[in-house]
Structures are given as C-alpha cells and as structure tokens.
Amino acid sequence: MTQALTRFPPTRTAALEALQRFVPHAGRDYAARRNYDLGRDAHQGVSQLSPYIRCRLLTEQEVLEAVLGRFSPASAEKFIQEVYWRTYWKGWLEMRPTVWTRYQADLRRAIDDVQTQAGLRDRWEAACTGTTEIECFNAWAQELVETGYLHNHARMWFASIWIFTLQLPWELGADFFLRHLLDGDPASNTLGWRWVAGQQTPGKTYLARTSNISKYTEGRFAPKWQLAGEAPPVPGAPNPDRQPLRPGDTAVPSPKTGLLLHDDDLSPGFLLDAGITPIATACINTRTNLSPLQVAAHVAAFAGGAQEDVVARYGDRLGDVAMVDPTADALRMWADAHRLDQIVTADTPTGPNATLVSDLMRLDNVPPIRRVRRSYDDDAWPHATHGFFRFKDKIPALLGQLRGMRAAG
C-alpha cells in the first residue's frame, strides 16, 4: 500500500502537479513514446494520470483543456483519443449495463471452478503471484500488485498471455486487475478484457507477440517460444441490444439537501456551484465492492484518501460530513438522521456505486435521489453506439462543445 500511495498520492495537489509535468509532453513526445513500457520507474512516455481521472480528482474536461491550452487538436491527437477512449467505454457500457452484470455472474462461476479444479487453481495462483515461467508476465503481475499501476500496452500483453497462453478465463484476469489497479474501472477494464478475448468486437482478438514485446520494452523482455501462436475468440454471449441512455437529473436547490460523495466523482464543485447547499454529506467508498474476492488495501485507501482531500478542500460547503458504510440501509439511516428532503449526487456510471444507489432507491421512505450528469458525459456518451472509430469521428465536435462549456463557465 505504501508504494502505491507514494507513487500516486491521493490528493488534488498531486494530481495537478502530475498534469503540469505531463502537458508539455502531450504532443509529439506522447505519440512517439506512448507504446514503450520501460519498467515501473520509467513510464515517462505516458501521462500516469489515470488514477486521478478514474475518481475525477481530475476531470477529463480539465485534462483536455490543459492539453489544448498548449497544443492544437491535431498535435495532441493521440493523447486526446486516449482520453476519449475512457469516455467511450463508459458510454458504451451505460447503454448496455447487462454486460457488467453478466461479467459478475460469469466471474463467480469462474471463482467456483477455481475452488474445484486443481489445475485451474494452480495456473490462476501462479498468474496472480507472478510465478509462471514467463518472465515478462511475472514482472507485470508483481508491478501491478506492488504499485497499483501497469502501462497500458503491458495490460494488453498481460491480458493476451493470461487468456491465450495460460488458458485462464478472462473474467478472472479482469478481476485481478480490478482488485489491484488504482484506476480500475468497471467500463474500461471489463470491455478491454472482452476486446482482447474477442467478445467486445466479435471475432477480433489481440495476440501478444514476442517481436512486439521485445520492441516496445527495448529488449528488456523477449519471451521466445513461450507465447501462444494464435488467439481464437473466446466463446461468449452476443453483445446485448443498446438501451436508451438514462437522462441525468437536474440539480434542484432545497433547504434539506444531502450530498452523496462517491468514489466515481470526487469533484463536487459543479454541484455546489449549481446552487446545492447540503446540510450533510455522506462519503461512500465502494472500491471493495469491485470484486467478490479481497481487494488490495491500496485500492480502497486511495479512494478514501482522495475523499479526505475533497472534504478538506470543500469542508465549509459540505455541511455535516460522515463516512458512511456503502450499503443501502446505512445510507437510509443517514438520510433519516438528517431528515433530508432530497439526496443529490454526481451521476453514478455502471458499477458498484450505481448498484448501491439503485438498491437505495428501492427502499421505503427514502427521499428523492437526483443523479446529476456532467455536460461532458451528456455530450459524449450518446455517441458510443458502435465501435470506437465511429465515435472518434465525433471528437472534433465534442472538443468544440468543450470550448463552449469553458466559455460559458
């Protein structure tokens, strides 16, 4: 836990400092070096902002505005696309939430199989502990467990080796990531693993190759004759039909408002500036709900530390602040204790927080809950209808809307 939080201090100040360090390199440098994984202490080719964006200590809009303050959209095209990949994944899953629930059900079945199949359990344990016969895979597994981070290109190699070389269920690999990544996100993580396995884009898989690993690790690793030579798609249910995107709610000022501060969005300024003056704030940390297995201590600690930072910065605007257990009953008791007329929260994308809010809304005697969506998400998510390359065509218009929001603000 210490190494993860030392590398990524969970504060807004640390996030802004990391952004400031990266911005000068978001153009040509990023395009040239983004695929190179040179080791845990040499990730300067990428931004390493994802833990902060994941919980929105930094918002996507802030990151894009900072980069566009120095580069043209064409000069920083590759980095801008990476920011929008995260946005695209969220929008895609938001219109197909059953993919998340199906993953959870399949994961539980895979965990049951681990308990009953000795060979599977041995391969899974070796993969999780980084004790396979594949040196590069072991190094990535250990880096992930110890630092809470892994280079994006290494994540793809790792997932491919997990599925096609080690012959492990992709759901167990996705779970391994969620249990250790500081930036582990239900949308990008689940859909990324599905893509490698050949389920997200039906029939299209990702095969890790020795030549590619050797090139982009600059010879640190070259797993000759150890990797699978083919990547047949993993059988799975077809993608569900797209559902209409649930509209976000409007923030309505009320004298007895409670603010629900969750770990998917820790920048409450957009709610408070809309006239919301909470008499009480409930902080909930659902990171341990990302998996039925034990989640690494640094994952919950990062989200908890980030919430403490938010409270310190916004304390005089949050009313009576309490850390509340992430259960529907605990939240109902909190609302009752403050006799709230309404609960306002930043929108909860598909994942543990959305599940928790849905459970709360089903209870009796719970005040209305308003889930307010950011304009950034409202503009982008409806375009996540098909593959990313169709979504990519909308990026110039989305950047124009971004500039409009900045001018209006």
Side-chain angles (χ1 to χ4, degrees):
M1 181 167 71
T2 301
Q3 186 173 159
L5 300 193
T6 298
R7 290 169 180 268
F8 299 96
T11 67
R12 168 83 171 170
T13 297
L16 290 173
E17 289 173 349
L19 177 61
Q20 185 179 28
R21 286 193 300 270
F22 171 72
V23 164
H25 306 286
R28 183 181 301 174
D29 291 349
Y30 178 81
R33 301 299 297 175
R34 66 192 181 96
N35 284 332
Y36 287 85
D37 173 19
L38 304 183
R40 66 175 68 186
D41 296 313
H43 290 319
Q44 290 80 11
V46 292
S47 74
Q48 300 182 78
L49 296 173
S50 55
Y52 301 113
I53 297 173
R54 161 66 174 95
C55 65
R56 279 183 162 165
L57 269 183
L58 280 178
T59 68
E60 296 90 337
Q61 180 174 342
E62 288 179 301
V63 172
L64 290 168
E65 287 176 349
V67 169
L68 292 172
R70 186 178 180 109
F71 296 98
S72 69
S75 298
E77 179 183 27
K78 290 298 183 182
F79 179 71
I80 289 169
Q81 287 179 7
E82 285 303 310
V83 175
Y84 274 109
W85 260 109
R86 178 176 290 269
T87 304
Y88 163 76
W89 285 136
K90 281 188 175 292
W92 194 96
L93 187 61
E94 206 63 20
M95 290 186 278
R96 303 163 184 86
T98 56
V99 170
W100 169 249
T101 54
R102 188 169 67 210
Y103 153 72
Q104 291 180 301
D106 290 345
L107 171 62
R108 289 186 175 87
R109 282 191 286 272
I111 292 173
D112 288 343
D113 290 341
V114 163
Q115 304 304 318
T116 58
Q117 300 176 26
L120 174 62
R121 183 178 184 86
D122 290 344
R123 298 199 311 278
W124 174 71
E125 288 181 343
C128 292
T129 56
T131 54
T132 73
E133 296 181 354
I134 304 172
E135 181 186 3
C136 58
F137 184 92
N138 295 343
W140 294 323
Q142 291 161 15
E143 178 182 355
L144 172 59
V145 168
E146 293 167 10
T147 72
Y149 182 81
L150 202 59
H151 188 286
N152 186 61
H153 206 165
R155 297 184 197 200
M156 294 167 61
W157 293 324
F158 186 98
S160 181
I161 295 170
W162 180 287
I163 296 168
F164 302 114
T165 299
L166 301 179
Q167 296 286 299
L168 289 165
W170 73 262
E171 295 89 350
L172 291 175
D175 177 68
F176 179 61
F177 272 17
L178 282 182
R179 288 190 287 118
H180 293 282
L181 283 171
L182 295 177
D183 64 12
D185 175 77
S188 58
N189 189 70
T190 305
L191 304 184
W193 275 84
R194 279 169 46 86
W195 179 79
V196 171
Q199 295 184 359
Q200 185 65 21
T201 303
K204 182 178 178 60
T205 60
Y206 177 77
L207 179 64
R209 300 182 184 275
T210 300
S211 58
N212 189 261
I213 293 172
S214 178
K215 175 181 178 179
Y216 288 108
T217 63
E218 293 190 342
R220 283 195 309 128
F221 301 117
K224 291 183 179 180
W225 320 119
Q226 291 184 295
L227 306 185
E230 58 182 4
V234 177
N239 290 334
D241 293 336
R242 185 174 74 250
Q243 300 178 9
L245 189 63
R246 177 187 58 79
D249 299 322
T250 302
V252 178
S254 174
K256 288 189 176 182
T257 294
L259 176 66
L260 181 59
L261 185 66
H262 58 75
D263 53 278
D264 280 318
D265 195 318
L266 295 177
S267 288
F270 83 107
L271 296 171
L272 302 175
D273 293 344
I276 298 301
T277 54
I279 62 170
T281 294
C283 298
I284 57 169
N285 183 344
T286 63
R287 293 294 174 96
T288 57
N289 294 344
L290 286 168
S291 171
L293 300 178
Q294 184 173 359
V295 174
H298 61 245
V299 173
F302 181 88
Q307 284 184 325
E308 291 174 4
D309 179 72
V310 173
V311 171
R313 289 183 290 111
Y314 285 95
D316 60 340
R317 303 178 67 184
L318 300 179
D320 182 25
V321 177
M323 301 294 173
V324 178
D325 288 340
T327 68
D329 286 335
L331 283 171
R332 179 172 59 178
M333 292 175 61
W334 165 77
D336 288 345
H338 293 281
R339 299 181 180 179
L340 299 179
D341 293 329
Q342 67 170 352
I343 298 172
V344 174
T345 186
D347 198 20
T348 50
T350 299
N353 284 307
T355 300
L356 176 57
V357 169
S358 295
D359 291 345
L360 179 62
M361 294 174 72
R362 284 193 288 268
L363 296 182
D364 294 331
N365 303 317
V366 173
I369 301 174
R370 302 187 186 277
R371 293 170 286 180
V372 183
R373 185 174 299 149
R374 291 177 179 272
S375 298
Y376 175 90
D377 296 331
D378 248 349
D379 291 339
W381 285 359
H383 298 298
T385 54
H386 295 79
F388 177 76
F389 292 100
R390 187 180 299 193
F391 178 89
K392 185 176 70 172
D393 293 338
K394 304 296 182 181
I395 290 178
L398 293 172
L399 292 177
Q401 291 170 305
L402 204 65
R403 293 190 185 96
M405 283 187 275
R406 184 176 185 180

